[in-house]
């Protein structure tokens, strides 16, 4: 079991006139599996992921399996990140998009082929491998983004509301295969969403983020049963 520890994280955004305290002492321990971070818009979810990636200045500590990452540059953290924007390479095929991280690592052609085909089968992309991104649907493009992120077996995969631009059917399908792949790869998945129902369905463990702090964590059942007003509000908003 792998562990990503986040201790006393503080992050401020400083503009000309205003300071926003986006994270105010966030604490959590994320284990292998799907960790959902749920919170209202503006609660600090994207800031948390960017901080873990090493893209923002922060106070506090981030460590993986007991090893501090605080002095480690983003590219050396070897974490995968998927956001709502697909950010695919438009000029190359789906196959080459998924293969890209392996090519950079110098993986052999044979191995690339085998791994891309396996990943394409799992994500339902086998039939579109020879197409360019603009010739596949939005849902398929998002699958390519996730396949590309997971192809090199990252130890941590950060997903920032990855399916919020996809239709209902795509979102429902995706929950299943995303969970399956991350579990198979023994990856620490941190999945950010503001959708309460989605959090309950996909999460092994759920962390509730409110105004830059982790105010509650537990299994989906524990979270569902919590009397916390914020949870009651989210339940109501998602008609549960
Ligand atoms: P979430 O992803 O939960 O919606 P964010 O992490 O994006 O929340 O934002 C947390 C807080 O920080 C919000 O108040 C937001 O307005 C502020 N914020 C986010 N990014 C910036 C930025 N680049 N500059 C200034 N304030 C920011
Ligand atoms: Mg966000």
């Amino acid at each position: 079991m792998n562990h990503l520890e986040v201790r006393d994280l503080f992050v401020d955004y400083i503009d000309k006139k205003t300071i926003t305290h986006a994270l105010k002492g966030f604490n959590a321990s994320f284990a292998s599996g799907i960790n959902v971070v749920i919170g209202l818009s503006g609660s600090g979810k994207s800031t948390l992921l960017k901080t873990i990636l090493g893209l923002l200045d922060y106070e506090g500590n981030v460590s993986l399996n007991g090893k501090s990452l605080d002095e480690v540059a983003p590219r050396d953290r070897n974490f995968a990140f998927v956001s709502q924007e697909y950010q695919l390479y438009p000029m190359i095929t789906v196959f080459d998009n998924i293969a890209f991280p392996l090519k950079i690592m110098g993986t052999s052609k044979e191995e690339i082929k085998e791994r891309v085909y396996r990943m394409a089968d799992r994500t339902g992309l086998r039939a579109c491998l020879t197409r360019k991104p603009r010739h596949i649907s939005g849902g398929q493009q998002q699958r390519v983004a996730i396949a590309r992120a997971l192809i090199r077996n990252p130890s941590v995969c950060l997903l920032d509301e990855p399916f919020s631009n996809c239709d209902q059917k795509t979102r429902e399908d995706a929950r299943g295969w995303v969970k399956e792949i991350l579990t198979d790869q023994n990856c620490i998945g941190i999945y950010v969403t503001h959708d309460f129902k989605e959090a309950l369905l996909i999460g092994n463990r759920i962390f509730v983020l409110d105004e830059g702090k982790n105010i509650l964590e537990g299994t989906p059942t524990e979270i569902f049963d919590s009397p916390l007003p914020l949870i009651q509000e989210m339940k109501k908003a998602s008609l549960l």
Side-chain angles (χ1 to χ4, degrees):
M1 192 71 106
N2 294 315
H3 277 96
L4 183 80
E5 297 277 343
V6 176
R7 288 285 154 248
D8 300 321
L9 275 199
F10 287 83
V11 174
D12 292 336
Y13 292 105
I14 302 169
D15 286 341
K16 277 177 205 130
K17 284 186 196 142
T18 52
I19 298 183
T20 307
H21 304 294
L23 292 181
K24 302 184 221 173
F26 182 92
N27 278 290
S29 177
F30 300 112
S32 305
I34 301 210
N35 302 273
V36 169
V37 176
I38 186 164
L40 303 176
S41 176
S43 57
K45 303 183 296 297
S46 297
T47 303
L48 175 68
L49 295 193
K50 285 181 202 154
T51 308
I52 293 172
L53 280 166
L55 300 175
L56 297 174
D57 263 342
Y58 60 91
E59 241 181 70
N61 306 99
V62 180
S63 61
L64 181 63
N65 298 330
K67 249 179 84 182
S68 170
L69 296 174
D70 300 327
E71 304 298 323
V72 178
R75 67 172 178 282
D76 299 326
R77 295 190 180 198
N78 190 25
F79 291 178
F81 176 62
V82 183
S83 71
Q84 305 161 23
E85 291 91 39
Y86 315 125
Q87 288 164 338
L88 300 179
Y89 309 117
M91 308 306 283
I92 57 177
T93 62
V94 167
F95 181 100
D96 287 332
N97 265 279
I98 300 175
F100 197 81
L102 296 180
K103 279 191 184 154
I104 288 188
M105 284 162 61
T107 310
S108 74
K109 262 194 171 159
E110 274 312 299
E111 190 182 338
I112 289 182
K113 214 165 150 184
E114 192 206 312
R115 284 170 69 173
V116 172
Y117 281 157
R118 197 167 355 121
M119 183 58 84
D121 284 340
R122 309 207 61 172
T123 50
L125 289 169
R126 187 71 180 240
C128 24
L129 284 175
T130 56
R131 296 194 211 150
K132 300 254 175 79
R134 66 175 175 282
H135 294 132
I136 59 176
S137 72
Q140 287 169 328
Q141 289 179 22
Q142 192 54 301
R143 283 164 186 252
V144 178
I146 291 181
R148 183 181 60 183
L150 294 176
I151 193 86
R152 62 196 165 84
N153 293 348
S155 39
V156 179
C157 183
L158 307 167
L159 301 125
D160 195 350
E161 315 216 23
F163 300 111
S164 53
N165 292 335
C166 299
D167 60 69
Q168 193 60 26
K169 171 84 173 65
T170 305
R171 293 175 71 136
E172 279 167 18
D173 289 351
R175 279 178 207 139
W177 60 259
V178 167
K179 191 164 182 168
E180 208 179 286
I181 297 179
L182 289 175
T183 309
D184 256 25
Q185 296 193 343
N186 198 28
C187 185
I188 301 172
I190 306 182
Y191 189 105
V192 156
T193 182
H194 64 272
D195 182 332
F196 190 61
K197 204 166 155 195
E198 181 163 80
L200 294 174
L201 288 170
I202 202 171
N204 297 111
R205 201 160 179 82
I206 299 176
F207 300 78
V208 182
L209 179 56
D210 186 34
E211 297 188 3
K213 277 189 186 162
N214 174 11
I215 58 162
L216 180 72
E217 65 176 87
T219 61
T221 320
E222 286 163 352
I223 299 293
F224 187 81
D225 291 337
S226 162
L228 204 76
L230 179 61
I231 298 295
Q232 299 304 321
E233 226 177 274
M234 287 184 182
K235 257 189 196 174
K236 222 188 255 168
S238 52
L239 308 174
L240 289 175

